[in-house]
Amino acid sequence: MPTAFLEGVRYAVVIVGLGLLIPLVVLNPRRLTRQTRWSRYLSVGQALLLVAANEAALVQLVIALAGPNNTDGPNLLLATLQVWVTNVIAFALVYWELDRGGPVSRRHTTRQELPQADFRFPQDEDHDAVKEVAARSSAKSGWTASFIDYVYFSLSNSMAFSPTDTMPLSARAKSLMGLEAFGGFVLLALVIAHAVSLLGQ
């Protein structure tokens, strides 16, 4: 965020985030191969910390956009873009960490032993499609979602304000996707309202 927005929170989040990241890098310096109960808590906590900090920045931005002294258009637009992009990345991290036990579990556990899915990807139901599509299905290729898959559906959820090709299955997935979509909608509505008010001056 620009320096005018929650400066103390920004530095606190960076310090705490780095503090959580160091043990995770020590445990898995190159690839995600090992996971313990405490590392799982740290990785999920780090993703949730980023979401919480960004939601606090969103509230601050809404106050700034709705306030009477919101004439600094370029700075507010930059802040809006930063909050929106961070929203997409932060929720993608949370989805990536929560779904089916997390990235380490998805990589090293057989499909039959994975925890229940939070999301249904298109590849999970393409096994009976035409041959060239079915070849990429999870049933025939052993496909599991990677981080880019979570970034993509986080992006589409934040732009469409609803699920597109990936459907939430659990209550926590629906709650998180609803929160992300609501934040994106609020940002869009306030930016449009702010732009209209500037044009009317």
Side-chain angles (χ1 to χ4, degrees), residues 19-97:
L20 294 174
L21 184 63
I22 290 170
L24 294 174
V25 172
V26 169
L27 184 66
N28 289 298
R30 294 187 179 179
R31 292 185 177 271
L32 296 172
T33 57
R34 292 183 292 168
Q35 177 173 280
T36 64
R37 178 174 290 181
W38 65 265
S39 70
R40 178 100 176 100
Y41 290 149
L42 285 178
S43 58
V44 172
Q46 187 177 42
L48 290 173
L49 171 69
L50 186 56
V51 167
N54 199 58
E55 294 303 308
L58 173 62
V59 170
Q60 181 70 19
L61 185 59
V62 167
I63 293 169
L65 283 168
N69 301 320
N70 57 1
T71 56
D72 189 7
N75 196 35
L76 288 173
L77 286 176
L78 176 62
T80 302
L81 178 64
Q82 289 172 333
V83 169
W84 186 81
V85 169
T86 304
N87 206 45
V88 170
I89 295 170
F91 276 97
L93 279 170
V94 171
Y95 302 149
W96 183 61
E97 287 289 354

Side-chain angles (χ1 to χ4, degrees), residues 77-132:
L77 286 176
L78 176 62
T80 302
L81 178 64
Q82 289 172 333
V83 169
W84 186 81
V85 169
T86 304
N87 206 45
V88 170
I89 295 170
F91 276 97
L93 279 170
V94 171
Y95 302 149
W96 183 61
E97 287 289 354
L98 290 180
D99 190 30
R100 299 178 190 182
V104 176
S105 178
R106 288 192 303 273
R107 177 177 289 198
H108 299 287
T109 307
T110 61
R111 295 190 76 81
Q112 293 75 18
E113 296 174 347
L114 282 173
Q116 289 185 338
D118 287 292
F119 303 100
R120 187 191 75 211
F121 288 89
Q123 289 88 339
D124 294 329
E125 54 190 26
D126 287 346
H127 59 278
D128 58 352
V130 294
K131 183 178 178 182
E132 61 271 21

